[in-house]
Amino acid sequence: MDEFQLHFQPKFDVRNNRIVGYEILLRNKEQNPYYPAVKMENIIHNKEEHKSFLVWFQEELVQLLKSFPTVQFSINFAPKQLFYPETHIFFTNMQSYAKQLIIEITEDAPLFAASIEPIDSLTFDKKFHSIFASIKAKGYCIALDDVGSGMNSLDEVLKYVPYLDQIKFSIVKCAKKDLNEETLHLFLNAWQQFSEGYHLGFIVEGIEDQATSDELKEQGILIQQGYYFGKPSKSIKKCC
């Protein structure tokens, strides 16, 4: 896994311009690093390569968490990864750091593509409930990434609300769907109200300018993430 490195993007509380944590993002080691999507897709679909990746990832994380014991980090897992036993061994091995970690479940897998073997919807739901319950029992927080997209539709979010601590909404991903500004804000407001109704943390990412940040702050959306606050970087500052 020598071709990978970890980058970090800050999450800001705009009430006091304070960093409240970082999302850990995987990057390659090219001059202009980017997420190695094809490589990771191959790793995720190969059990042995995925096992090796988790060993590397665990070593990197332990070193990081020991260096920054008061900082909270989010780490991303695709749904398919949750069906590998090795992933839950990883969660067990990292359990002593659970309070520092938020497990973000990405939206990038269709419902049934997530499982290792073909299963019906009822069996899938039972299995996923069991997976989420196991992660929660180990003391981790769980977040759903990019709600309203891919696997993380409203129907799916509702199924797993009892296990969730946070949901994240991406302005950038919605903008790419060619929504007009009014529709985008209605969609955003709906998810904000959803998070408040179910007592979930709500993070909006994709903030690229002060005007957008200020507008969201006026709406009561206080935890924000995006290039306006900082691009993914190899270095971090301690949260204050």
Side-chain angles (χ1 to χ4, degrees):
M1 301 298 164
D2 291 339
E3 69 268 40
F4 294 148
Q5 59 181 330
L6 302 183
H7 280 217
F8 313 95
Q9 188 172 38
K11 301 175 185 178
F12 262 75
D13 184 333
V14 296
R15 287 170 294 193
N16 47 23
N17 293 319
R18 183 172 66 95
I19 297 174
V20 293
Y22 289 85
E23 180 177 0
I24 296 177
L25 299 167
L26 192 69
R27 294 292 184 263
N28 58 26
K29 290 187 175 179
E30 295 190 11
Q31 186 173 359
N32 297 308
Y34 59 87
Y35 176 65
V38 174
K39 177 66 175 178
M40 274 307 299
E41 185 72 11
N42 291 334
I43 286 175
I44 288 173
H45 286 82
N46 183 302
K47 184 177 180 181
E48 289 306 313
E49 287 195 22
H50 183 254
K51 182 178 180 180
S52 297
F53 169 77
L54 288 181
V55 170
W56 170 83
F57 191 38
Q58 179 178 322
E59 291 174 353
E60 294 290 313
L61 272 181
V62 168
Q63 183 177 350
L64 174 71
L65 296 170
K66 286 182 176 179
S67 298
F68 298 94
T70 63
V71 180
Q72 190 172 58
F73 296 93
S74 297
I75 55 177
N76 294 297
F77 281 84
K80 188 177 181 69
Q81 293 178 271
L82 303 181
F83 284 82
Y84 286 123
E86 290 78 14
T87 300
H88 297 278
I89 293 172
F90 168 88
F91 290 146
T92 298
N93 291 342
M94 296 297 298
Q95 191 170 357
S96 60
Y97 301 100
K99 297 302 180 184
Q100 272 186 270
L101 294 172
I102 299 172
I103 311 301
E104 282 193 24
I105 312 302
T106 65
E107 84 295 345
D108 58 334
L111 187 63
F112 294 107
S115 59
I116 297 172
E117 299 177 355
I119 55 178
D120 60 63
S121 60
L122 181 60
T123 304
F124 179 93
D125 287 342
K126 288 182 178 179
K127 180 64 175 176
F128 227 64
H129 277 281
S130 176
I131 288 170
F132 274 35
S134 173
I135 296 172
K136 288 294 293 182
K138 290 179 173 64
Y140 295 98
C141 290
I142 299 177
L144 286 188
D145 198 16
D146 293 336
V147 290
S149 300
M151 181 177 173
N152 293 340
S153 66
L154 175 60
D155 284 346
E156 296 308 308
V157 176
L158 282 169
K159 289 178 184 177
Y160 307 116
V161 158
Y163 309 105
L164 301 181
D165 299 279
Q166 298 177 355
I167 57 175
K168 296 182 73 176
F169 181 91
S170 173
I171 287 180
V172 172
K173 289 208 171 184
C174 281
K176 289 180 179 179
K177 300 180 188 296
D178 295 324
L179 296 176
N180 62 50
E181 187 172 343
E182 181 180 358
T183 302
L184 174 59
H185 281 288
L186 288 171
F187 199 38
L188 172 61
N189 290 341
W191 280 111
Q192 181 186 8
Q193 291 180 36
F194 179 93
S195 67
E196 292 172 355
Y198 286 97
H199 307 290
L200 303 174
F202 188 53
I203 301 172
V204 173
E205 55 185 347
I207 312 302
E208 298 184 346
D209 55 67
Q210 183 174 347
T212 302
S213 176
D214 290 344
E215 184 177 351
L216 294 178
K217 182 179 179 180
E218 290 180 5
Q219 294 176 225
I221 299 172
L222 304 175
I223 308 301
Q224 302 177 13
Q225 183 179 347
Y227 281 14
Y228 172 64
F229 302 104
K231 294 183 179 181
S233 168
K234 289 192 293 185
S235 62
I236 70 172
K237 298 177 181 179
K238 290 186 178 181
C239 301
C240 53

PDB file of all heavy atoms in Angstrom, residues 148-176:
ATOM      1  N   GLY A 148     -29.380  11.561   0.453  1.00  0.00           N
ATOM      2  CA  GLY A 148     -30.137  11.938  -0.732  1.00  0.00           C
ATOM      3  C   GLY A 148     -29.502  11.466  -2.016  1.00  0.00           C
ATOM      4  O   GLY A 148     -30.050  11.659  -3.101  1.00  0.00           O
ATOM      5  N   SER A 149     -28.319  10.809  -1.916  1.00  0.00           N
ATOM      6  CA  SER A 149     -27.607  10.322  -3.091  1.00  0.00           C
ATOM      7  C   SER A 149     -27.345   8.827  -2.972  1.00  0.00           C
ATOM      8  O   SER A 149     -27.140   8.311  -1.875  1.00  0.00           O
ATOM      9  CB  SER A 149     -26.265  11.050  -3.256  1.00  0.00           C
ATOM     10  OG  SER A 149     -26.452  12.433  -3.405  1.00  0.00           O
ATOM     11  N   GLY A 150     -27.329   8.138  -4.111  1.00  0.00           N
ATOM     12  CA  GLY A 150     -26.954   6.729  -4.143  1.00  0.00           C
ATOM     13  C   GLY A 150     -27.724   5.890  -3.155  1.00  0.00           C
ATOM     14  O   GLY A 150     -28.947   5.963  -3.056  1.00  0.00           O
ATOM     15  N   MET A 151     -26.994   5.082  -2.386  1.00  0.00           N
ATOM     16  CA  MET A 151     -27.616   4.191  -1.425  1.00  0.00           C
ATOM     17  C   MET A 151     -28.270   4.955  -0.279  1.00  0.00           C
ATOM     18  O   MET A 151     -29.220   4.477   0.334  1.00  0.00           O
ATOM     19  CB  MET A 151     -26.558   3.238  -0.869  1.00  0.00           C
ATOM     20  CG  MET A 151     -27.104   2.249   0.138  1.00  0.00           C
ATOM     21  SD  MET A 151     -25.846   1.089   0.685  1.00  0.00           S
ATOM     22  CE  MET A 151     -26.761   0.259   1.982  1.00  0.00           C
ATOM     23  N   ASN A 152     -27.774   6.153   0.021  1.00  0.00           N
ATOM     24  CA  ASN A 152     -28.252   6.879   1.195  1.00  0.00           C
ATOM     25  C   ASN A 152     -29.474   7.746   0.883  1.00  0.00           C
ATOM     26  O   ASN A 152     -29.514   8.945   1.182  1.00  0.00           O
ATOM     27  CB  ASN A 152     -27.109   7.721   1.784  1.00  0.00           C
ATOM     28  CG  ASN A 152     -26.006   6.855   2.349  1.00  0.00           C
ATOM     29  OD1 ASN A 152     -26.221   5.688   2.635  1.00  0.00           O
ATOM     30  ND2 ASN A 152     -24.827   7.419   2.507  1.00  0.00           N
ATOM     31  N   SER A 153     -30.466   7.129   0.281  1.00  0.00           N
ATOM     32  CA  SER A 153     -31.731   7.799   0.006  1.00  0.00           C
ATOM     33  C   SER A 153     -32.531   7.952   1.295  1.00  0.00           C
ATOM     34  O   SER A 153     -32.188   7.377   2.337  1.00  0.00           O
ATOM     35  CB  SER A 153     -32.546   6.981  -0.999  1.00  0.00           C
ATOM     36  OG  SER A 153     -32.925   5.742  -0.415  1.00  0.00           O
ATOM     37  N   LEU A 154     -33.627   8.694   1.226  1.00  0.00           N
ATOM     38  CA  LEU A 154     -34.469   8.896   2.409  1.00  0.00           C
ATOM     39  C   LEU A 154     -34.952   7.565   2.962  1.00  0.00           C
ATOM     40  O   LEU A 154     -34.926   7.339   4.185  1.00  0.00           O
ATOM     41  CB  LEU A 154     -35.653   9.794   2.054  1.00  0.00           C
ATOM     42  CG  LEU A 154     -36.682  10.004   3.176  1.00  0.00           C
ATOM     43  CD1 LEU A 154     -36.035  10.644   4.396  1.00  0.00           C
ATOM     44  CD2 LEU A 154     -37.843  10.860   2.669  1.00  0.00           C
ATOM     45  N   ASP A 155     -35.392   6.665   2.095  1.00  0.00           N
ATOM     46  CA  ASP A 155     -35.886   5.361   2.556  1.00  0.00           C
ATOM     47  C   ASP A 155     -34.823   4.609   3.345  1.00  0.00           C
ATOM     48  O   ASP A 155     -35.112   4.024   4.397  1.00  0.00           O
ATOM     49  CB  ASP A 155     -36.327   4.506   1.358  1.00  0.00           C
ATOM     50  CG  ASP A 155     -37.660   4.949   0.792  1.00  0.00           C
ATOM     51  OD1 ASP A 155     -38.365   5.720   1.469  1.00  0.00           O
ATOM     52  OD2 ASP A 155     -38.000   4.523  -0.337  1.00  0.00           O
ATOM     53  N   GLU A 156     -33.594   4.630   2.845  1.00  0.00           N
ATOM     54  CA  GLU A 156     -32.528   3.895   3.517  1.00  0.00           C
ATOM     55  C   GLU A 156     -32.121   4.573   4.822  1.00  0.00           C
ATOM     56  O   GLU A 156     -31.854   3.906   5.821  1.00  0.00           O
ATOM     57  CB  GLU A 156     -31.318   3.747   2.590  1.00  0.00           C
ATOM     58  CG  GLU A 156     -31.597   2.930   1.348  1.00  0.00           C
ATOM     59  CD  GLU A 156     -32.220   1.580   1.674  1.00  0.00           C
ATOM     60  OE1 GLU A 156     -31.657   0.855   2.516  1.00  0.00           O
ATOM     61  OE2 GLU A 156     -33.268   1.266   1.101  1.00  0.00           O
ATOM     62  N   VAL A 157     -32.064   5.909   4.810  1.00  0.00           N
ATOM     63  CA  VAL A 157     -31.704   6.627   6.041  1.00  0.00           C
ATOM     64  C   VAL A 157     -32.711   6.332   7.141  1.00  0.00           C
ATOM     65  O   VAL A 157     -32.348   6.094   8.296  1.00  0.00           O
ATOM     66  CB  VAL A 157     -31.611   8.141   5.779  1.00  0.00           C
ATOM     67  CG1 VAL A 157     -31.340   8.887   7.083  1.00  0.00           C
ATOM     68  CG2 VAL A 157     -30.518   8.452   4.766  1.00  0.00           C
ATOM     69  N   LEU A 158     -33.993   6.311   6.782  1.00  0.00           N
ATOM     70  CA  LEU A 158     -35.035   6.035   7.774  1.00  0.00           C
ATOM     71  C   LEU A 158     -34.868   4.654   8.401  1.00  0.00           C
ATOM     72  O   LEU A 158     -35.138   4.473   9.590  1.00  0.00           O
ATOM     73  CB  LEU A 158     -36.415   6.151   7.124  1.00  0.00           C
ATOM     74  CG  LEU A 158     -36.948   7.569   6.917  1.00  0.00           C
ATOM     75  CD1 LEU A 158     -38.188   7.543   6.032  1.00  0.00           C
ATOM     76  CD2 LEU A 158     -37.264   8.226   8.256  1.00  0.00           C
ATOM     77  N   LYS A 159     -34.404   3.693   7.616  1.00  0.00           N
ATOM     78  CA  LYS A 159     -34.239   2.339   8.137  1.00  0.00           C
ATOM     79  C   LYS A 159     -33.204   2.279   9.253  1.00  0.00           C
ATOM     80  O   LYS A 159     -33.318   1.489  10.188  1.00  0.00           O
ATOM     81  CB  LYS A 159     -33.799   1.387   7.016  1.00  0.00           C
ATOM     82  CG  LYS A 159     -34.853   1.069   5.980  1.00  0.00           C
ATOM     83  CD  LYS A 159     -34.269   0.151   4.917  1.00  0.00           C
ATOM     84  CE  LYS A 159     -35.263  -0.122   3.791  1.00  0.00           C
ATOM     85  NZ  LYS A 159     -34.650  -0.957   2.727  1.00  0.00           N
ATOM     86  N   TYR A 160     -32.175   3.125   9.142  1.00  0.00           N
ATOM     87  CA  TYR A 160     -31.028   2.984  10.033  1.00  0.00           C
ATOM     88  C   TYR A 160     -30.892   4.136  11.022  1.00  0.00           C
ATOM     89  O   TYR A 160     -29.877   4.230  11.719  1.00  0.00           O
ATOM     90  CB  TYR A 160     -29.752   2.830   9.192  1.00  0.00           C
ATOM     91  CG  TYR A 160     -29.888   1.712   8.184  1.00  0.00           C
ATOM     92  CD1 TYR A 160     -29.854   1.961   6.817  1.00  0.00           C
ATOM     93  CD2 TYR A 160     -30.110   0.402   8.605  1.00  0.00           C
ATOM     94  CE1 TYR A 160     -30.012   0.935   5.901  1.00  0.00           C
ATOM     95  CE2 TYR A 160     -30.269  -0.631   7.696  1.00  0.00           C
ATOM     96  CZ  TYR A 160     -30.224  -0.359   6.343  1.00  0.00           C
ATOM     97  OH  TYR A 160     -30.400  -1.363   5.435  1.00  0.00           O
ATOM     98  N   VAL A 161     -31.909   4.986  11.099  1.00  0.00           N
ATOM     99  CA  VAL A 161     -31.880   6.125  12.025  1.00  0.00           C
ATOM    100  C   VAL A 161     -31.504   5.730  13.452  1.00  0.00           C
ATOM    101  O   VAL A 161     -30.731   6.449  14.114  1.00  0.00           O
ATOM    102  CB  VAL A 161     -33.238   6.874  12.004  1.00  0.00           C
ATOM    103  CG1 VAL A 161     -33.444   7.672  13.280  1.00  0.00           C
ATOM    104  CG2 VAL A 161     -33.303   7.814  10.812  1.00  0.00           C
ATOM    105  N   PRO A 162     -31.996   4.620  14.005  1.00  0.00           N
ATOM    106  CA  PRO A 162     -31.654   4.300  15.405  1.00  0.00           C
ATOM    107  C   PRO A 162     -30.159   4.155  15.676  1.00  0.00           C
ATOM    108  O   PRO A 162     -29.727   4.258  16.825  1.00  0.00           O
ATOM    109  CB  PRO A 162     -32.382   2.966  15.647  1.00  0.00           C
ATOM    110  CG  PRO A 162     -33.507   2.969  14.674  1.00  0.00           C
ATOM    111  CD  PRO A 162     -32.953   3.638  13.450  1.00  0.00           C
ATOM    112  N   TYR A 163     -29.380   3.908  14.626  1.00  0.00           N
ATOM    113  CA  TYR A 163     -27.949   3.694  14.811  1.00  0.00           C
ATOM    114  C   TYR A 163     -27.113   4.933  14.475  1.00  0.00           C
ATOM    115  O   TYR A 163     -25.900   4.942  14.705  1.00  0.00           O
ATOM    116  CB  TYR A 163     -27.464   2.541  13.920  1.00  0.00           C
ATOM    117  CG  TYR A 163     -28.296   1.294  14.050  1.00  0.00           C
ATOM    118  CD1 TYR A 163     -29.196   0.929  13.043  1.00  0.00           C
ATOM    119  CD2 TYR A 163     -28.207   0.480  15.176  1.00  0.00           C
ATOM    120  CE1 TYR A 163     -29.976  -0.209  13.159  1.00  0.00           C
ATOM    121  CE2 TYR A 163     -28.994  -0.662  15.303  1.00  0.00           C
ATOM    122  CZ  TYR A 163     -29.876  -0.997  14.284  1.00  0.00           C
ATOM    123  OH  TYR A 163     -30.650  -2.112  14.407  1.00  0.00           O
ATOM    124  N   LEU A 164     -27.748   5.975  13.938  1.00  0.00           N
ATOM    125  CA  LEU A 164     -27.006   7.102  13.395  1.00  0.00           C
ATOM    126  C   LEU A 164     -26.758   8.191  14.433  1.00  0.00           C
ATOM    127  O   LEU A 164     -27.552   8.419  15.335  1.00  0.00           O
ATOM    128  CB  LEU A 164     -27.753   7.707  12.204  1.00  0.00           C
ATOM    129  CG  LEU A 164     -28.038   6.780  11.024  1.00  0.00           C
ATOM    130  CD1 LEU A 164     -28.763   7.545   9.923  1.00  0.00           C
ATOM    131  CD2 LEU A 164     -26.750   6.176  10.496  1.00  0.00           C
ATOM    132  N   ASP A 165     -25.628   8.870  14.233  1.00  0.00           N
ATOM    133  CA  ASP A 165     -25.294  10.042  15.037  1.00  0.00           C
ATOM    134  C   ASP A 165     -25.259  11.309  14.187  1.00  0.00           C
ATOM    135  O   ASP A 165     -25.515  12.401  14.689  1.00  0.00           O
ATOM    136  CB  ASP A 165     -23.919   9.851  15.698  1.00  0.00           C
ATOM    137  CG  ASP A 165     -23.901   8.654  16.623  1.00  0.00           C
ATOM    138  OD1 ASP A 165     -24.366   8.789  17.761  1.00  0.00           O
ATOM    139  OD2 ASP A 165     -23.438   7.590  16.192  1.00  0.00           O
ATOM    140  N   GLN A 166     -24.916  11.148  12.912  1.00  0.00           N
ATOM    141  CA  GLN A 166     -24.786  12.297  12.023  1.00  0.00           C
ATOM    142  C   GLN A 166     -25.257  11.931  10.617  1.00  0.00           C
ATOM    143  O   GLN A 166     -25.226  10.760  10.221  1.00  0.00           O
ATOM    144  CB  GLN A 166     -23.321  12.754  11.903  1.00  0.00           C
ATOM    145  CG  GLN A 166     -22.664  13.219  13.171  1.00  0.00           C
ATOM    146  CD  GLN A 166     -21.211  13.578  12.939  1.00  0.00           C
ATOM    147  OE1 GLN A 166     -20.667  13.399  11.842  1.00  0.00           O
ATOM    148  NE2 GLN A 166     -20.557  14.077  13.977  1.00  0.00           N
ATOM    149  N   ILE A 167     -25.669  12.974   9.877  1.00  0.00           N
ATOM    150  CA  ILE A 167     -25.837  12.843   8.436  1.00  0.00           C
ATOM    151  C   ILE A 167     -25.107  13.999   7.777  1.00  0.00           C
ATOM    152  O   ILE A 167     -24.965  15.079   8.366  1.00  0.00           O
ATOM    153  CB  ILE A 167     -27.317  12.812   7.988  1.00  0.00           C
ATOM    154  CG1 ILE A 167     -28.065  14.062   8.452  1.00  0.00           C
ATOM    155  CG2 ILE A 167     -27.998  11.546   8.490  1.00  0.00           C
ATOM    156  CD1 ILE A 167     -29.499  14.141   7.938  1.00  0.00           C
ATOM    157  N   LYS A 168     -24.614  13.759   6.558  1.00  0.00           N
ATOM    158  CA  LYS A 168     -23.882  14.788   5.825  1.00  0.00           C
ATOM    159  C   LYS A 168     -24.591  15.054   4.496  1.00  0.00           C
ATOM    160  O   LYS A 168     -25.064  14.127   3.832  1.00  0.00           O
ATOM    161  CB  LYS A 168     -22.441  14.355   5.572  1.00  0.00           C
ATOM    162  CG  LYS A 168     -21.626  14.181   6.839  1.00  0.00           C
ATOM    163  CD  LYS A 168     -20.182  13.801   6.528  1.00  0.00           C
ATOM    164  CE  LYS A 168     -19.409  14.964   5.968  1.00  0.00           C
ATOM    165  NZ  LYS A 168     -17.985  14.617   5.752  1.00  0.00           N
ATOM    166  N   PHE A 169     -24.629  16.311   4.134  1.00  0.00           N
ATOM    167  CA  PHE A 169     -25.278  16.732   2.896  1.00  0.00           C
ATOM    168  C   PHE A 169     -24.249  17.463   2.042  1.00  0.00           C
ATOM    169  O   PHE A 169     -23.555  18.362   2.538  1.00  0.00           O
ATOM    170  CB  PHE A 169     -26.451  17.667   3.208  1.00  0.00           C
ATOM    171  CG  PHE A 169     -27.208  18.153   2.003  1.00  0.00           C
ATOM    172  CD1 PHE A 169     -28.307  17.456   1.527  1.00  0.00           C
ATOM    173  CD2 PHE A 169     -26.822  19.319   1.349  1.00  0.00           C
ATOM    174  CE1 PHE A 169     -29.007  17.906   0.417  1.00  0.00           C
ATOM    175  CE2 PHE A 169     -27.515  19.778   0.247  1.00  0.00           C
ATOM    176  CZ  PHE A 169     -28.611  19.071  -0.224  1.00  0.00           C
ATOM    177  N   SER A 170     -24.143  17.089   0.771  1.00  0.00           N
ATOM    178  CA  SER A 170     -23.169  17.701  -0.119  1.00  0.00           C
ATOM    179  C   SER A 170     -23.847  18.675  -1.078  1.00  0.00           C
ATOM    180  O   SER A 170     -24.647  18.274  -1.917  1.00  0.00           O
ATOM    181  CB  SER A 170     -22.423  16.633  -0.922  1.00  0.00           C
ATOM    182  OG  SER A 170     -21.603  17.233  -1.904  1.00  0.00           O
ATOM    183  N   ILE A 171     -23.504  19.946  -0.934  1.00  0.00           N
ATOM    184  CA  ILE A 171     -24.015  20.951  -1.865  1.00  0.00           C
ATOM    185  C   ILE A 171     -23.483  20.699  -3.268  1.00  0.00           C
ATOM    186  O   ILE A 171     -24.203  20.827  -4.267  1.00  0.00           O
ATOM    187  CB  ILE A 171     -23.612  22.364  -1.392  1.00  0.00           C
ATOM    188  CG1 ILE A 171     -24.437  22.760  -0.166  1.00  0.00           C
ATOM    189  CG2 ILE A 171     -23.811  23.396  -2.496  1.00  0.00           C
ATOM    190  CD1 ILE A 171     -24.118  24.130   0.368  1.00  0.00           C
ATOM    191  N   VAL A 172     -22.230  20.299  -3.370  1.00  0.00           N
ATOM    192  CA  VAL A 172     -21.600  20.092  -4.671  1.00  0.00           C
ATOM    193  C   VAL A 172     -22.301  18.978  -5.440  1.00  0.00           C
ATOM    194  O   VAL A 172     -22.603  19.117  -6.624  1.00  0.00           O
ATOM    195  CB  VAL A 172     -20.102  19.781  -4.509  1.00  0.00           C
ATOM    196  CG1 VAL A 172     -19.492  19.365  -5.838  1.00  0.00           C
ATOM    197  CG2 VAL A 172     -19.370  20.991  -3.943  1.00  0.00           C
ATOM    198  N   LYS A 173     -22.579  17.868  -4.774  1.00  0.00           N
ATOM    199  CA  LYS A 173     -23.211  16.756  -5.477  1.00  0.00           C
ATOM    200  C   LYS A 173     -24.607  17.123  -5.956  1.00  0.00           C
ATOM    201  O   LYS A 173     -25.035  16.717  -7.028  1.00  0.00           O
ATOM    202  CB  LYS A 173     -23.252  15.512  -4.590  1.00  0.00           C
ATOM    203  CG  LYS A 173     -21.878  14.889  -4.388  1.00  0.00           C
ATOM    204  CD  LYS A 173     -21.966  13.412  -4.127  1.00  0.00           C
ATOM    205  CE  LYS A 173     -20.575  12.789  -4.148  1.00  0.00           C
ATOM    206  NZ  LYS A 173     -20.610  11.334  -3.987  1.00  0.00           N
ATOM    207  N   CYS A 174     -25.329  17.882  -5.143  1.00  0.00           N
ATOM    208  CA  CYS A 174     -26.666  18.301  -5.560  1.00  0.00           C
ATOM    209  C   CYS A 174     -26.590  19.291  -6.717  1.00  0.00           C
ATOM    210  O   CYS A 174     -27.401  19.252  -7.641  1.00  0.00           O
ATOM    211  CB  CYS A 174     -27.420  18.917  -4.391  1.00  0.00           C
ATOM    212  SG  CYS A 174     -28.096  17.684  -3.269  1.00  0.00           S
ATOM    213  N   ALA A 175     -25.593  20.179  -6.672  1.00  0.00           N
ATOM    214  CA  ALA A 175     -25.433  21.162  -7.741  1.00  0.00           C
ATOM    215  C   ALA A 175     -25.168  20.476  -9.075  1.00  0.00           C
ATOM    216  O   ALA A 175     -25.608  20.945 -10.126  1.00  0.00           O
ATOM    217  CB  ALA A 175     -24.301  22.126  -7.395  1.00  0.00           C
ATOM    218  N   LYS A 176     -24.470  19.349  -9.037  1.00  0.00           N
ATOM    219  CA  LYS A 176     -24.167  18.612 -10.269  1.00  0.00           C
ATOM    220  C   LYS A 176     -25.406  17.980 -10.888  1.00  0.00           C
ATOM    221  O   LYS A 176     -25.376  17.545 -12.037  1.00  0.00           O
ATOM    222  CB  LYS A 176     -23.112  17.532  -9.984  1.00  0.00           C
ATOM    223  CG  LYS A 176     -21.721  18.093  -9.710  1.00  0.00           C
ATOM    224  CD  LYS A 176     -20.722  16.996  -9.439  1.00  0.00           C
ATOM    225  CE  LYS A 176     -19.327  17.565  -9.192  1.00  0.00           C
ATOM    226  NZ  LYS A 176     -18.341  16.491  -8.890  1.00  0.00           N
TER     227      LYS A 176
END
